[in-house]
Amino acid sequence: MNKSSKIYVAGHNGLVGSAIIRKLESKGYQNIVKRTSQELDLRKQAAVEYFFENEKPEYVFLAAAKVGGILANAKNPGEFLYDNVMIQTNIIEASKNFGVKKLLFLGSTCIYPKMAPQPLKEEYLLTGELEPTNEPYAIAKITGIKMCKSYNEQYGTNFISVMPTNLYGPNDNFDLKTSHVLPALLRKVHEAKLNNSPYVEVWGTGHPFREFLHVDDMADACVYLMENYSYKEIGEIINIGTGEEISIKDLVDLIVSVVNYRGDIKFDPLKPDGTPRKLTDIQKLNKLNWKSRISLKKGIEETYEWYIREKKYE
Ligand code: GDP
């Protein structure tokens, strides 16, 4: 990839896509192609083929996806399966047809079996049953991984797949019905503080553990892998994470201290906990000389500042 290469970032308004754009621009890449979902519906094959035929991007970051937290996945399983399979299938096929030199596909650590040993190694893919709350999403992402692999084998393409752990940061979704836990709790605790509410309600038991990676670290890793490593070196998939986990209860405490909220926390065990742990094994990534830099505390502080500045949903 050189600074004038034509780079298409699919999903440039999303959490990851917007961070990839910031990273590429800060490194001096000058030829970045973007389309909003109004301009190009990635679920429509003819539209995607037409776009690739005309624009002929050389590099593709496939960061477009239908994403959501635990309840959004549970309520809209058909949409999560259909949208994701269509978006990624159309882009991967068009990338093969129109000579894309390299593509980076974004998966998720929910592709690993619910009861896989921890930390999650790349080789655990398809060794057991998935977590039911996000199985349709995970099946779509596994399809994308296998498509990249199959296309590399059959057509000699260079399509790589990365599996980020739970991500957070600027441009995250703060809508309480569809968001992931970290932005949801930042918003809930912030609003409880503003309204002098006596307590904040947290879903589940607080016992599950999750790993959180700041999206700027994620974008840094994606661009680093695009610049330096090919499918032959990376293999079928590679995890991107911090290698550190925290319980939901401790995450709540951290957010409460960043926001400076003085009320109580109430757990609602009737809401789903999801998978008990989801910690990535990052040895493969470390061997390629990449490590995350932003600590969880600093990342939450920055995200909270961003949230207040943007005053989303207030
Ligand atoms: P997951 O990592 O795919 O399970 O997705 P989430 O980020 O949605 O949820 C992670 C964990 O946080 C689960 O155990 C949830 O029950 C818990 N959690 C606690 N409060 C909330 C909340 O307000 N929103 C969400 N999305 N999750 C919450």
Side-chain angles (χ1 to χ4, degrees):
M1 220 161 51
N2 63 51
K3 301 294 177 220
S4 58
S5 300
K6 195 175 232 188
I7 304 169
Y8 171 46
V9 179
H12 70 278
N13 280 324
L15 174 67
V16 182
S18 60
I20 289 174
I21 298 267
R22 286 197 298 277
K23 186 84 221 166
L24 289 171
E25 286 177 350
S26 77
K27 294 190 90 169
Y29 288 96
Q30 292 149 3
N31 197 0
I32 302 170
V33 183
K34 309 170 200 170
R35 288 290 185 282
T36 62
S37 50
Q38 283 79 34
E39 290 164 341
L40 174 62
D41 184 344
L42 293 168
R43 294 168 302 182
K44 304 279 187 265
Q45 188 190 10
V48 175
E49 290 272 319
Y50 182 81
F51 165 74
F52 271 77
E53 190 173 5
N54 282 287
E55 285 291 345
K56 299 231 168 51
E58 294 167 85
Y59 295 88
V60 173
F61 288 88
L62 207 179
K66 169 93 190 165
V67 297
I70 193 160
L71 279 197
N73 271 270
K75 284 191 177 143
N76 313 293
E79 213 174 316
F80 275 81
L81 188 47
Y82 177 81
D83 284 8
N84 286 307
V85 165
M86 293 307 285
I87 291 168
Q88 69 203 29
T89 300
N90 291 338
I91 293 180
I92 294 169
E93 170 71 9
S95 295
K96 180 264 286 179
N97 291 342
F98 295 101
V100 167
K101 291 179 185 155
K102 194 166 175 185
L103 172 145
L104 181 142
F105 172 63
L106 264 118
S108 157
T109 49
C110 70
I111 53 124
Y112 292 114
K114 178 180 172 99
M115 291 308 174
Q118 306 278 330
L120 298 161
K121 290 184 192 298
E122 286 85 353
E123 69 221 44
Y124 299 159
L125 174 64
L126 289 175
T127 55
E129 287 189 19
L130 298 164
E131 156 62 37
T133 51
N134 53 25
E135 189 188 75
Y137 178 78
I139 292 279
K141 290 294 181 185
I142 293 171
T143 305
I145 293 167
K146 292 296 175 187
M147 224 172 135
C148 289
K149 179 175 184 246
S150 306
Y151 277 41
N152 292 338
E153 287 169 1
Q154 185 174 348
Y155 307 117
T157 48
N158 187 11
F159 296 168
I160 61 175
S161 297
V162 300
M163 300 304 121
T165 190
N166 290 32
L167 301 170
Y168 70 98
N171 292 323
D172 208 341
N173 171 14
F174 285 83
D175 176 343
L176 294 181
K177 287 201 202 75
T178 55
S179 59
H180 284 102
V181 59
L182 198 152
L185 291 180
L186 259 184
R187 176 172 176 183
K188 282 185 187 174
V189 174
H190 174 67
E191 288 179 353
K193 180 180 146 183
L194 289 187
N195 301 329
N196 288 318
S197 308
Y199 67 90
V200 169
E201 200 180 88
V202 177
W203 298 354
T205 60
H207 300 316
F209 283 81
R210 291 290 183 275
E211 175 188 8
F212 297 95
L213 178 72
H214 193 283
V215 73
D216 286 346
D217 270 339
M218 172 64 189
D220 189 68
C222 289
V223 173
Y224 177 74
L225 292 175
M226 264 307 229
E227 285 174 334
N228 297 298
Y229 294 99
S230 67
Y231 177 73
K232 284 203 181 76
E233 291 144 329
I234 292 173
E236 186 175 35
I237 53 176
I238 185 164
N239 292 334
I240 304 186
T242 62
E244 287 167 25
E245 63 184 343
I246 181 170
S247 72
I248 297 299
K249 187 184 173 309
D250 288 345
L251 175 73
V252 177
D253 291 346
L254 191 53
I255 289 175
V256 162
S257 82
V258 169
V259 175
N260 196 16
Y261 171 64
R262 297 184 190 282
D264 289 335
I265 299 299
K266 279 193 189 168
F267 290 94
D268 175 3
L270 296 178
K271 292 273 191 329
D273 264 343
T275 195
R277 282 178 80 193
K278 209 163 48 168
L279 177 65
T280 54
D281 185 309
I282 49 167
Q283 287 183 54
K284 193 167 173 178
L285 187 61
N286 289 347
K287 280 194 193 120
L288 301 183
N289 294 316
W290 190 90
K291 275 198 173 68
S292 65
R293 293 191 204 119
I294 306 170
S295 74
L296 184 57
K297 184 162 186 296
K298 185 124 190 40
I300 291 177
E301 282 166 0
E302 279 178 15
T303 307
Y304 183 46
E305 278 168 26
W306 179 88
Y307 175 66
I308 294 179
R309 210 169 45 241
E310 294 289 312
K311 292 210 183 300
K312 297 252 161 175
Y313 307 107
E314 267 186 20

